[in-house]
Amino acid sequence: MKAVDVAIVGGGAVGAACARAAALRGLEVAIFEPGPDSAAASPASAGMLAAQIEPGDDVLVALSVRARDLYEPLAPALRETTGIDIGFWRSGIAAVAFDESAADRLKEEVARQRQAGLRCDWLDGDEVRERWPGAAPEGQGALLAPEDGALDPQALTRACLADARRLGATLHAEKVEALAITQDRVTGVVTARGTTPVEHAVLAAGVWSPQVRGLPHPLPVEPLRGQMAATAWPDGCPPAILYHDRGYVLARGADAVLGSTMERAGYDARVTNEGLAQIFRGAVRLLPALMTQPVQRMWAGLRPATPDGRPILGRDPDVERLWYATGHGRNGILLAALTGEITADLLTTGVPDVDIAPLRVDRFR
Ligand SMILES: Cc1cc2nc3c(=O)[nH]c(=O)nc-3n(C[C@H](O)[C@H](O)[C@H](O)COP(=O)(O)OP(=O)(O)OC[C@H]3O[C@@H](n4cnc5c(N)ncnc54)[C@H](O)[C@@H]3O)c2cc1C
């Protein structure tokens, strides 16, 4: 059997974006995705493109800003080729401060980001309430990242998969149990139906990435549970994405999406009363009118977290033609399109136009 150029293990947002980008460069792509698993991160995600809201790591902020900006051309391109609207909107995210020390910290962050050439503003409390009537009545102000935004993560995954298939990629509803490795080189992927010969394998199986047999070293990716809920968006409040360190709320159509927890609960993706209580408390502080809205849904998913909060991208140093696209933690929707571009560059030219040294798997060894 002729080997396919590349097997993508996992068809969440990250795997789907890798598959599309590789297929666009003319590679023959086979996507292996048995689910999605009910605990998968992408369908559970809020879909915020919060490049400037969770700062702290300069490498990640630079990568995130670049990743976010890729959606500007990608959203219309996907709509054109697949007919799927990924719900990309870019009306800014406001990180609200509820006390003086948070306000001081965010003001410093505004100054730092401006110095780095990014658009970022400080709104005082009244400006916040003028822009979003009824929001954050006790808020002391907010960092506004006007170029941040959100998209619909399920639509993104669907659109990338559809586009990849349009370009010739095949989708196999099979779980990859192991990698076939011969003389330190990937030669195939093994499922219950047998071995598919492949030239390259990209591991994009989210929190399940470490479970694929045949990896040369344990992979430091662990599940970090996030619980979510949705209610109706209150009438009379303009759509917004409001954030603070204990929760966030974003408008998606007629819904308000409320999140989220960060919990180490193994592979358990159930919602708990404690988690929901935390989410509702946080969201109501941002938008008190949510208090009386009917709850529509609640759910949870598992973020693939790494010890330093950065994803794992690039080649394996010991096994040739094994590539990683995993460990995207809290920002995998934001980083999905860029991860696809980087991975496709690696598979074709070997040289991405982003320095991925701080993201390589060997940083943990
Ligand atoms: C509650 C919550 C809120 C979030 N909010 C945001 C946000 O606002 N913005 C943002 O950027 N990020 C957010 N994230 C993070 C983001 O969702 C993840 O980083 C991202 O979805 C990871 O995508 P992935 O494709 O790597 O993993 P997943 O979406 O988990 O996909 C992995 C896929 O691999 C498949 N799979 C598993 N094992 C195998 C196997 N052996 N063979 C083949 N396939 C396999 C699974 O079925 C699954 O579909 C959030 C996450 C959660 C849980």
Side-chain angles (χ1 to χ4, degrees):
M1 206 196 306
K2 183 187 161 290
V4 294
D5 292 334
V6 52
I8 310 282
V9 183
V14 172
C18 290
R20 174 186 180 270
L24 257 181
R25 284 166 176 72
L27 296 177
E28 191 188 348
V29 177
I31 306 154
F32 289 82
E33 168 55 71
D37 193 285
S38 58
S42 302
S45 170
M48 283 184 296
L49 303 175
Q52 294 175 235
I53 298 299
E54 292 179 354
D57 176 335
D58 288 344
V59 170
L60 214 47
V61 172
L63 205 67
S64 298
V65 165
R66 190 160 173 168
R68 176 195 66 198
D69 294 348
L70 277 185
Y71 287 106
E72 189 77 53
L74 183 58
L78 287 172
R79 193 181 314 115
E80 169 131 5
T81 52
T82 67
I84 299 171
D85 179 353
I86 65 167
F88 173 63
W89 62 302
R90 210 172 183 183
S91 58
I93 301 184
V96 179
F98 284 104
D99 57 45
E100 236 166 80
S101 82
D104 289 346
R105 190 170 44 76
L106 289 176
K107 280 182 194 164
E108 268 171 41
E109 189 54 37
V110 170
R112 215 171 70 92
Q113 293 200 16
R114 285 183 158 207
Q115 206 152 31
L118 298 171
R119 281 183 61 199
C120 192
D121 300 310
W122 175 254
L123 305 179
D124 66 29
D126 290 337
E127 285 172 315
V128 171
R129 288 178 283 275
E130 216 166 277
R131 206 179 258 254
W132 299 289
E138 316 149 31
Q140 309 222 341
L143 173 157
L144 175 67
E147 295 183 286
D148 276 358
L151 54 73
D152 176 341
Q154 300 197 25
L156 172 70
T157 309
R158 227 175 31 248
C160 286
L161 287 177
D163 211 30
R165 294 178 82 180
R166 178 186 69 85
L167 294 159
T170 53
L171 180 59
H172 305 257
E174 292 170 70
K175 175 181 173 189
V176 171
E177 288 168 358
L179 301 170
I181 293 169
T182 313
Q183 290 176 340
D184 296 332
R185 199 187 131 178
V186 167
T187 53
V189 294
V190 184
T191 73
R193 290 198 200 143
T195 302
T196 304
V198 302
E199 294 288 341
H200 299 267
V202 175
L203 188 58
V207 292
W208 299 277
S209 301
Q211 296 175 359
V212 175
R213 294 199 313 273
L215 294 175
H217 296 278
L219 199 59
V221 173
E222 286 195 348
L224 197 56
R225 180 168 71 187
Q227 301 188 38
M228 303 282 294
T231 74
W233 186 264
D235 284 340
C237 295
I241 308 177
L242 305 170
Y243 181 100
H244 75 127
D245 47 15
R246 287 198 203 90
Y248 53 80
V249 50
L250 73 136
R252 174 158 300 132
D255 295 346
V257 177
L258 323 182
S260 178
T261 59
M262 298 268 278
E263 305 161 84
R264 297 212 176 266
Y267 284 82
D268 179 350
R270 287 175 294 185
V271 292
T272 63
N273 288 327
E274 188 186 15
L276 292 174
Q278 181 203 310
I279 292 169
F280 287 127
R281 262 198 311 271
V284 161
R285 205 162 182 211
L286 288 164
L287 201 54
L290 286 169
M291 188 72 104
T292 52
Q293 297 302 315
V295 177
Q296 291 165 337
R297 265 183 338 123
M298 47 199 94
W299 67 94
L302 303 177
R303 305 177 185 91
T306 61
D308 61 6
R310 296 179 185 168
I312 301 174
L313 304 188
R315 64 189 289 269
D316 186 90
D318 301 319
V319 173
E320 256 185 79
R321 303 190 175 194
L322 167 59
W323 305 91
Y324 296 98
T326 188
H328 290 71
R330 299 194 71 178
N331 289 303
I333 300 302
L334 169 64
L335 296 172
L338 183 62
T339 298
E341 292 304 313
I342 291 172
T343 303
D345 282 346
L346 288 167
L347 289 166
T348 48
T349 62
V351 197
D353 66 356
V354 175
D355 175 17
I356 62 157
L359 311 175
R360 282 210 298 255
V361 71
D362 17 342
R363 71 185 188 272
F364 297 116
R365 292 191 193 151

